Amino acid sequence: MNQIEHKLKQALQEAVQHAFGVELLPEEIVIELPKQVNFGDYSSNVAMRLAKQLRQNPKMIAQEILNHLDNEKAGVRLAEPAGVGFINFFMLQDRLADILTLVLKQDKEFGQSIRHDAHKINVEYVSANPTGDLHPGHARGAAIGDSLTRIMKKAGYDVTREYYVNDAGNQINNMAKSLQARYLQACGKEAEVPTDGYHGKDLIEIAAGIRAQIGDLYAETNTEETLAYFRTIGLVEETKKLREDLATFRVEFDVWTSEQSIYDRGLVEKALKQLTDHGKTYESEGAVWLRTTDFNDDKDRVLVKSTGLYTYLLPDIAYHLDKKDRGFDQMIDLLGADHHGYINRLKAAIQALGYPSEDLEVDIIQMARMIKDGEEFKMSKRTGKAVALKDLIEEAGVDAVRYYFVSRAGDTHMDLDLDMASRQSNENPVYYAQYAHARLCSILRNATMEIATEFSDLSHPKEAELLKQMIDFPQMIADAAFTRQPHKVCNYIQRLASSFHAFYGECHVLDQENPALSAQRLGLVKAVQITLRNALTLIGVDAPEKM
RNA sequence: GUCCACGUAGCUCAGCUGGAUAGAGCAUGCGCCUUCUAAGCGCACGGUCGAGGGUUCGAGUCCCCCCGUGGACACCA
C-alpha cells in the first residue's frame, strides 16, 4: 500500500463513516487503477459494495460519500460518481509528483520493502540430477526461481535459495556406467552405453577429458573400484557443469545440499525414526510403509523396500525435515510438471512429521516447448538429441531466454519460439524494454542542466501516467512476491516501457526554450530510468545504457 | 480408468481478492525521422473468453457437467 492510496482509503473510510455511520475495514475498500484515462487516476467500487447492506441505489450512495469526502485530505482534485456506481478520483498533481523525490533519493533501493515478520523462507528450484545437461524445463524453473527469489528479497522476505543435488540414487550408478562406456570408446574399445543409461553428449566430452588425463589406466579393468572412480569423477564434472551453466544464466544459489550428505549425517534414519515415533509407519509385505493416506494421498507409500534399501521418497523426506531443522518456517519447492504426483506425498510426509502442510508449498513449473523453424525441438536427456540450456543461450542470449521464460506464468504451457527470441529486432519484446532504458540513458547523457527539486509543472497526461506507475512499483513487487508470479514484473516492465515510449513521442525533454520544465522532466526521466533498471534487475535482465 | 493443471484475437500470452466498452506483443494494412536513439510512436483490422448449465445487481474470473491438450498415477529416481 503506497502513501497516495493509503490517504485516499483513509479519507473514504471517514466519508463512509460520516455519511452512513458504517465502519469499514481498510481491506473492504478496494482502490483500483482504471483502464481508461477518463475514469480518473484511481477508482473505487465501495458504493456498490455498500448497496446491498444499505438497500440503496449505488449511484446515490456514491454521491452521498462524495458529499462527505475531504478532498484535500484525500489528495483529490476532483472526485465524481460514474457508471453503475463507481467513484472516480482525479488526484492533485503535486501529490503524484512526490514519488519523484523518493525515487531519486532511493535510487537502487527504490522498490525495497521491509517486512517485520521474522519468517525464514527456503526456496528450492532446478535441483536437476547431476547426470546430464540442463534442459529447457530446468531452464524455465531456473529463470523463474531466480527471479522469484530476487523479487521476494525486494519485497522484504528472508529468503534462502537452495539446490538439492541428487548424488546418491541409482541414477548415479547408471551415469557412472554410461561414463565408463564413453571412456572405453574414447580409448578405442568396443563399449555400449546401457539402454537405461545416459546418452547425452556431455558424457562424451567428460570421457574425452578423462582419457586425456589418465590415458588408458582404466581401459582393461572393470572392478568395483573402477566404477567408483567414474562415479566420483562423473559427479564432480557434472556438478561443476551445472554450476557453470547456471552461473552463465545468472542463476545463483545460497546453499547446495547433497543427498549423499543427508545419508552420511544419519538424517535418513532420524526421519524414519521420527515418522515411526509419530505412529505413521507400518510393516507389510516385508516393507516399511508411510501412512500418507491419513493426509489426503491416494495410497500409502513405501519407505523401506523389502530388500532393505530405501526408496527415493525417504531421503527426500529427510531432506525436508533437515530444512525445518535448519530453522525454515516455510519451504517452497519449484518442481517440474513430471513431479506432479509427488506433491501430495511430500505434503503428507510433512504432516506425518508433525508440521502443518502449509509449511511446504509446491509450485509446478510446466514444461516448455522449444520451437525452431516452425517445428518442435524434443528435449530428452537420454536420447542424446537434447536441447540444452547452453544451446538456448547460444541461440538467443541470456537476456532473451530469461525474459521469455519469466514473462509467462509458470503453471501454463508455453512455446518458446527460438527464431523470435534470437532475432535482434523490433519483433522481439525483450529489446523493447531495453531500448526504452537506452533511450532514457541517452537523454540523461545529453542533458546539460541539473535535475529540478520540485515538480509542479508535470501535468501532461503521459507524465501523470509514468508517475502513477512508479507509485505502483513497490506494491507490484509485493504482489508478485506474495502470489509467487514473477511474470507480473514482466507485465509491469512492458507497461512502464510503453508509457515511456509514448511520453517520448509527445513530450520533448531537453528544451532550451523552457529550462524550468526541462529540469523537471529530466527528474522524471531519471526516476523512470531507475525504476526500469530496478525492474529489469528483478528478472535478471541487463539494462543497457546504449544499444 | 482416476487425479491435477491448462483452453482468451491468425500466432504467443496478460487479465490484480468477481466490476465500467475483455488487453498487449507478433503478423496484416495505412501514416510519422532537418528536433533528446525509428530496436520507436499513432491509427486500423482482428473475439459467441473451448461448449452448455448454475450462483448474483454484475462472471474471462466462482460452482456443476461435457469436449480438447499436457502431466501424474512403481517396493524407478
Side-chain angles (χ1 to χ4, degrees):
Chain A
M1 174 64 45
N2 59 62
Q3 277 295 310
I4 303 266
E5 290 185 32
H6 182 68
K7 283 182 179 158
L8 183 55
K9 231 179 209 195
Q10 258 182 350
L12 263 180
Q13 198 174 3
E14 284 168 23
V16 169
Q17 165 73 28
H18 291 147
F20 302 104
V22 176
E23 195 76 47
L24 285 178
L25 298 169
E27 54 267 30
E28 288 178 296
I29 300 173
V30 176
I31 308 270
E32 48 190 15
L33 298 167
K35 291 166 195 160
Q36 290 182 45
V37 283
N38 54 321
F39 291 157
D41 298 314
Y42 294 98
S43 73
S44 178
N45 62 0
V46 64
M48 286 142 85
R49 298 214 156 194
L50 283 167
K52 189 181 279 179
Q53 183 181 348
L54 297 172
R55 297 175 175 281
Q56 284 185 44
N57 182 325
K59 286 187 97 157
M60 303 288 286
I61 296 173
Q63 188 55 60
E64 193 60 21
I65 291 173
L66 289 183
N67 290 344
H68 290 81
L69 185 73
D70 184 338
N71 280 9
E72 171 61 26
K73 207 168 166 184
V76 163
R77 174 168 56 83
L78 171 70
E80 57 185 21
V84 289
F86 288 95
I87 304 174
N88 295 338
F89 302 98
F90 297 82
M91 310 304 287
L92 290 162
Q93 189 276 339
D94 60 318
R95 304 294 174 89
L96 294 179
D98 281 348
I99 189 68
L100 293 182
T101 313
L102 181 73
V103 179
L104 295 173
K105 188 178 129 214
Q106 292 195 323
D107 203 337
K108 283 194 163 61
E109 291 303 307
F110 177 55
Q112 181 68 49
S113 299
I114 298 161
R115 287 174 69 86
H116 298 289
D117 67 43
H119 262 57
K120 281 184 68 182
I121 302 174
N122 180 289
V123 184
E124 182 200 332
Y125 48 100
V126 188
S127 294
N129 289 347
T131 52
D133 286 321
L134 294 163
H135 62 58
H138 297 133
R140 189 180 188 185
I144 290 178
D146 181 76
S147 301
L148 175 63
T149 51
R150 290 180 192 224
I151 293 163
M152 290 176 81
K153 283 182 185 178
K154 198 77 169 173
Y157 292 81
D158 180 351
V159 186
T160 299
R161 305 165 295 178
E162 185 147 336
Y163 191 115
Y164 182 48
V165 186
N166 288 102
D167 55 0
N170 196 38
Q171 78 279 4
I172 300 302
N173 287 329
N174 288 338
M175 182 273 291
K177 285 176 192 164
S178 306
L179 178 59
Q180 184 179 29
R182 292 303 194 193
Y183 166 75
L184 291 174
Q185 289 170 0
C187 295
K189 304 262 176 205
E190 282 291 318
E192 292 256 335
V193 174
T195 45
D196 59 346
Y198 295 91
H199 299 252
K201 60 187 176 213
D202 54 299
L203 288 181
I204 300 176
E205 289 161 13
I206 293 172
I210 296 172
R211 173 87 207 294
Q213 210 167 21
I214 68 168
D216 292 347
L217 184 61
Y218 287 114
E220 301 298 338
T221 61
N222 190 11
T223 62
E224 280 295 309
E225 267 174 61
T226 319
L227 195 62
Y229 168 80
F230 285 108
R231 189 189 155 93
T232 305
I233 196 160
L235 271 176
V236 168
E237 291 298 322
E238 289 284 8
T239 308
K240 194 174 127 200
K241 219 157 41 61
L242 284 176
R243 287 180 185 247
E244 285 169 0
D245 289 353
L246 287 166
T248 305
F249 202 42
R250 301 183 199 131
V251 174
E252 306 281 343
F253 293 90
D254 302 305
V255 180
W256 296 72
T257 299
S258 136
E259 181 184 0
Q260 189 60 49
S261 77
I262 300 288
Y263 280 100
D264 294 346
R265 287 152 66 203
L267 299 180
V268 177
E269 287 73 18
K270 181 185 170 185
L272 184 57
K273 182 170 185 305
Q274 188 161 330
L275 291 168
T276 304
D277 289 349
H278 282 69
K280 297 303 178 190
T281 63
Y282 62 93
E283 284 188 42
S284 173
E285 303 163 57
V288 179
W289 298 69
L290 178 64
R291 291 184 202 279
T292 54
T293 48
D294 286 2
F295 307 102
N296 202 29
D297 196 9
D298 306 334
K299 50 173 291 197
D300 290 337
R301 306 292 169 174
V302 173
L303 296 175
V304 185
K305 299 184 231 176
S306 54
T307 59
L309 294 173
Y310 299 136
T311 61
Y312 62 97
L313 179 60
L314 187 53
D316 267 14
I317 294 172
Y319 170 52
H320 283 84
L321 176 60
D322 180 49
K323 285 187 195 173
K324 288 302 295 184
D325 287 346
R326 279 187 274 144
F328 291 108
D329 298 290
Q330 194 181 28
M331 302 173 280
I332 297 168
D333 289 5
L334 306 189
L335 298 180
D338 53 337
H339 287 73
H340 203 163
Y342 204 46
I343 301 175
N344 276 345
R345 245 168 281 181
L346 221 43
K347 285 183 82 107
I350 292 299
Q351 291 172 84
L353 287 166
Y355 296 106
S357 81
E358 304 85 67
D359 282 10
L360 174 67
E361 297 281 354
V362 181
D363 289 350
I364 287 299
I365 306 295
Q366 277 290 349
M367 294 293 168
R369 293 198 312 166
M370 299 298 108
I371 308 290
K372 187 172 170 156
D373 304 327
E375 285 180 20
E376 182 183 357
F377 253 161
K378 276 292 177 192
M379 47 179 157
S380 168
K381 200 153 58 174
R382 288 163 178 264
T383 60
K385 291 178 192 165
V387 182
L389 170 59
K390 269 184 289 196
D391 303 327
L392 296 180
I393 294 174
E394 200 173 306
E395 284 280 338
V398 173
D399 284 338
V401 176
R402 279 194 69 128
Y403 190 88
Y404 266 88
F405 279 133
V406 178
S407 67
R408 310 298 185 215
D411 59 358
T412 59
H413 313 293
M414 74 169 281
D415 289 355
L416 174 55
D417 186 340
L418 288 171
D419 303 316
M420 163 85 87
S422 60
R423 219 165 291 162
Q424 305 244 340
S425 75
N426 58 345
E427 293 164 47
N428 192 338
V430 69
Y431 295 112
Y432 183 79
Q434 293 188 318
Y435 183 61
H437 188 265
R439 261 185 161 179
L440 285 156
C441 289
S442 173
I443 296 173
L444 293 167
R445 269 196 305 273
N446 292 334
T448 52
M449 74 271 287
E450 292 291 309
I451 290 173
T453 50
E454 63 85 34
F455 306 96
S456 53
D457 298 331
L458 300 179
S459 55
H460 193 282
K462 298 298 180 192
E463 294 168 337
E465 200 176 306
L466 286 167
L467 292 174
K468 277 186 285 177
Q469 271 162 5
M470 287 187 280
I471 289 167
D472 190 41
F473 187 56
Q475 207 168 316
M476 179 280 297
I477 293 172
D479 184 42
F482 181 72
T483 58
R484 299 200 293 272
Q485 298 189 315
H487 74 271
K488 289 183 172 178
V489 174
C490 280
N491 293 345
Y492 180 86
I493 288 169
Q494 284 302 310
R495 280 200 305 276
L496 186 63
S498 167
S499 296
F500 168 68
H501 283 310
F503 161 80
Y504 184 93
E506 287 194 34
C507 304
H508 199 85
V509 178
L510 305 176
D511 183 359
Q512 301 296 337
E513 307 289 308
N514 198 341
L517 181 60
S518 289
Q520 293 189 23
R521 284 188 168 162
L522 198 57
L524 178 68
V525 164
K526 179 62 183 169
V528 173
Q529 181 262 320
I530 288 169
T531 308
L532 187 55
R533 180 201 60 206
N534 289 4
L536 285 166
T537 302
L538 287 176
I539 57 168
V541 172
D542 269 343
E545 297 189 2
K546 284 184 182 175
M547 283 176 75

